[in-house]
Amino acid sequence: MRRSARRLALVLGDQLSFDLASLQGLDPTQDVVLLAEVAEEAGHVPHHPQKIALIFSAMRHFAAALRERGLRVQYVRLDDADNSGSLPGELLRWADHFGAQEIHLTECGDWRLEQALRHCGLPIHWHVDQRFLCSREAFAAWAGGRKQLRMEYFYREMRRRSGLLMNGDGTPVGGAWNFDADNRKALPRGVRPPQPLRSAPDAITGEVLALVAARFSHHYGSLAAFDYPVTHAEAERLWAHFLAHGLADFGDYQDAMASGEPYLFHARISAALNIGLLDLRRLCADVEAAYWAGRVPLNAAEGFIRQLIGWREYVRGIYWLQMPEYAEGNAFGNTRALPAFYWTGNTRMNCLHQAIGQTLEHAYAHHIQRLMVTGNFALLAGIAPKQICDWYLAVYMDAFDWVELPNTLGMVMHADGGYLGSKPYCASGQYIKRMSDYCSGCAYKVSESSGESACPFNALYWHFLMRHRERLEHNPRLGMVYRNLARMDEARQQALWDWGERLLARLDAGEML
């Protein structure tokens, strides 16, 4: 006998929070929570198999936890015979099945999906996603009338609003709003990061891993090293481990990179946070408490909080303020295809080999590996923004459109023309040498800029600056760089240009660099 439902609440795979707005006030006897694994969301880009496994396993565990709390849950597995393959399809199917009087949803993290649900033909009660500190409407109000939106000013407003690391008189603790200048140290010899805390797959996760292996074997990336938390309790243990063993050194070494060390002092909690297994306010409170207790230095506490209430909230605001036009940004007119080695890691450039290799193994790379290695190369090589954006969305465990797109299109590729960031984050191989040990194990020489043994980043860096001189030379943050370029003699400039042209021609021909 079919049981009807007064309210049907659809919960998405990145909304696995017990405090989710659309889950509040449910009647266990009359209302139903719907969760669905669908092929469209798993395959609209070739998501890393570990990412798919994380979300499906976390969804199944969350459904079980909701049932334990007494709620009625309708769970649709990917391999269910009648699965329509899309979230709008499943919502329509189950709304009809239960004769639901009301449909409730919390705001999506993907403009594409939200539009599909808004136009599926059902009257939906939409709820604000209160997991974030700044609502879409509040960000739009902050942005209104401003000629430029700079994260630093938004971050200061968020600090004032939250009271985090603030003195009683309204000034920031330590006398400065951020301590980014203290957070750029390379990893010294002999300094070892803590051993990562791993979560062993249980029976539910094992079943999901088998499903993903069977259905998504054509996606790039390995399932073998899967060890991510899939429950709130596991995520809390990972967070506690970072507080005890990683946070104190996170500030100093958050930009560092090292061969064979994918995590260093990073928390690895971004995926758990983005799908709802951890609470933003709790994380910030814990970090602030650790500072006041004298367990961590200010540059570590402030740097971590800045990533959460500054950058993370800022890019979400940009996303919803500017979509869908934002996704089409291509300020430099890039058309080059993404090199094949982004999907395999097969390149003689050790920095890219390391960053991409660990991504394929763990679905993870930290922000500097993404910005200054894989992203920097894509920027210098003139890769089409949509191709590199789709790659980031596919391969990283924590990548959801609201956070991935502004970070990649805006910050990495500067394809929005400077709307999000005031300068392109371009660099030669010298930056990578300074912040890592990658160059010592590379087939190329970072001390050379042209010729077969030269680091490709070097000539491509100057080629990028020369080909975009008209757009960039008046940027005040690049003034010194262009003055250095002007001081080079013509023969030197021509040699860099010619070698850059040759490297780009090799990419176009599909040759391995």
Side-chain angles (χ1 to χ4, degrees):
M1 178 178 176
R2 187 177 76 172
R3 296 177 63 190
S4 62
R6 181 196 63 161
R7 177 187 295 188
L8 181 65
L10 173 63
V11 174
L12 307 179
D14 61 348
Q15 297 180 343
L16 310 180
S17 168
F18 297 117
D19 296 324
L20 194 72
S22 49
L23 287 179
Q24 305 314 301
L26 295 181
D27 185 330
T29 65
Q30 299 186 69
D31 302 331
V32 176
V33 179
L34 171 64
L35 293 99
E37 304 166 2
V38 295
E40 184 174 67
E41 297 310 307
H44 71 93
V45 296
H47 291 292
H48 197 297
Q50 288 195 42
K51 183 180 183 181
I52 301 172
L54 168 75
I55 295 172
F56 285 1
S57 179
M59 287 173 64
R60 294 185 184 191
H61 283 90
F62 187 64
L66 291 177
R67 290 189 181 108
E68 289 177 1
R69 292 176 173 224
L71 294 175
R72 291 171 61 194
V73 177
Q74 180 64 50
Y75 194 92
V76 182
R77 297 190 176 209
L78 186 73
D79 52 4
D80 284 354
D82 295 325
N83 190 326
S84 66
S86 76
L87 286 169
E90 288 308 290
L91 187 59
L92 286 164
R93 180 162 76 104
W94 292 104
D96 177 68
H97 175 84
F98 288 113
Q101 300 171 32
E102 298 177 10
I103 310 295
H104 288 254
L105 260 162
T106 296
E107 296 167 334
C108 302
D110 186 312
W111 187 89
R112 167 195 57 83
L113 177 58
E114 185 163 308
Q115 291 304 302
L117 289 165
R118 285 186 181 276
H119 295 94
C120 73
L122 292 172
I124 296 174
H125 296 264
W126 286 94
H127 297 261
V128 172
D129 194 341
Q130 297 173 342
R131 295 176 299 166
F132 295 90
L133 296 183
C134 186
S135 69
R136 300 179 188 179
E137 293 73 17
F139 187 88
W142 174 82
R146 295 176 185 264
K147 293 182 179 179
Q148 289 186 319
L149 305 185
R150 290 292 172 254
M151 193 280 286
E152 177 64 23
Y153 300 115
F154 173 76
Y155 170 55
R156 294 180 186 184
E157 177 64 25
M158 295 298 288
R159 285 274 295 279
R160 294 187 186 100
R161 188 186 305 178
S162 67
L164 289 163
L165 295 177
M166 298 294 291
N167 295 314
D169 62 359
T171 59
V173 170
W177 288 102
N178 82 62
F179 294 86
D180 191 46
D182 298 328
N183 295 347
R184 302 172 185 171
K185 296 178 183 177
L187 191 70
R189 289 175 182 260
V191 173
R192 304 296 300 173
Q195 287 293 313
L197 183 70
R198 305 187 184 281
S199 298
D202 62 7
I204 292 175
T205 301
E207 187 176 16
V208 168
L209 290 171
L211 171 70
V212 173
R215 293 288 294 268
F216 301 100
S217 60
H218 58 293
H219 288 200
Y220 288 94
S222 170
L223 280 169
F226 184 87
D227 65 350
Y228 287 92
V230 294
T231 68
H232 294 81
E234 288 180 346
E236 290 286 352
R237 286 196 290 272
L238 181 60
W239 174 242
H241 180 80
F242 171 70
L243 284 175
H245 303 290
L247 179 58
D249 290 308
F250 167 81
D252 285 349
Y253 305 122
Q254 64 175 281
D255 287 3
M257 299 174 284
S259 298
E261 293 287 356
Y263 309 127
L264 293 177
F265 295 96
H266 290 264
R268 288 206 304 152
I269 53 92
S270 54
L273 175 62
N274 288 351
I275 67 172
L277 300 185
L278 291 169
D279 176 71
L280 169 72
R281 293 166 180 82
R282 158 81 185 282
L283 302 186
C284 290
D286 286 349
V287 171
E288 185 183 42
Y291 167 71
W292 288 121
R295 296 193 298 272
V296 303
L298 182 56
N299 72 315
E302 185 279 321
F304 198 88
I305 286 174
R306 177 164 21 100
Q307 295 299 320
L308 291 179
I309 71 167
W311 193 254
R312 185 173 181 269
E313 298 270 339
Y314 174 72
V315 297
R316 178 177 182 264
I318 293 286
Y319 180 86
W320 288 108
L321 188 67
Q322 293 296 320
M323 284 297 284
E325 294 79 12
Y326 193 81
E328 304 305 315
N330 190 0
F332 293 126
N334 294 345
T335 59
R336 183 161 286 108
L338 187 72
F341 65 72
Y342 271 76
W343 298 105
T344 65
N346 294 330
T347 169
R348 297 170 66 221
M349 292 175 281
N350 190 45
C351 57
L352 283 160
H353 174 72
Q354 291 283 334
I356 295 171
Q358 74 172 56
T359 296
L360 295 174
E361 183 178 2
H362 300 291
Y364 174 86
H366 71 66
H367 66 285
I368 293 299
Q369 292 171 311
R370 302 187 202 192
L371 177 63
M372 301 308 298
V373 180
T374 54
N376 185 27
F377 188 87
L379 173 67
L380 301 182
I383 304 305
K386 183 173 186 345
Q387 292 202 22
I388 188 65
C389 287
D390 283 352
W391 182 79
Y392 274 84
L393 182 62
V395 300
Y396 290 119
M397 182 74 75
D398 57 0
F400 295 88
D401 208 49
W402 66 267
V403 66
E404 177 278 323
L405 183 65
N407 269 303
T408 308
L409 188 138
M411 190 176 189
V412 168
M413 298 301 291
H414 205 69
D416 62 2
Y419 184 80
L420 182 146
S422 58
K423 67 176 283 292
Y425 280 86
C426 54
S428 71
Q430 291 300 321
Y431 175 86
I432 296 170
K433 178 185 178 183
R434 184 168 68 252
M435 296 307 301
S436 75
D437 63 355
Y438 293 157
C439 297
S440 62
C442 189
Y444 296 104
K445 296 179 181 178
V446 71
S447 59
E448 298 179 12
S449 296
S450 60
E452 294 294 339
S453 63
C455 171
F457 277 87
N458 292 338
L460 289 177
Y461 170 69
W462 292 110
H463 191 281
F464 169 81
L465 292 168
M466 285 187 269
R467 73 179 185 265
H468 296 300
R469 188 196 307 259
E470 184 176 347
R471 173 181 286 274
L472 298 176
E473 67 179 341
H474 299 298
N475 186 309
R477 297 187 65 189
L478 292 174
M480 181 178 294
V481 173
Y482 276 101
R483 287 192 292 273
N484 289 338
L485 178 61
R487 282 193 285 267
M488 291 183 190
D489 61 49
E490 289 187 14
R492 170 72 169 157
Q493 291 190 40
Q494 191 63 49
L496 289 168
W497 177 266
D498 290 345
W499 192 249
E501 286 283 289
R502 185 167 179 179
L503 291 170
L504 294 176
R506 288 182 177 179
L507 287 177
D508 291 338
E511 296 180 22
M512 184 175 75
L513 293 184

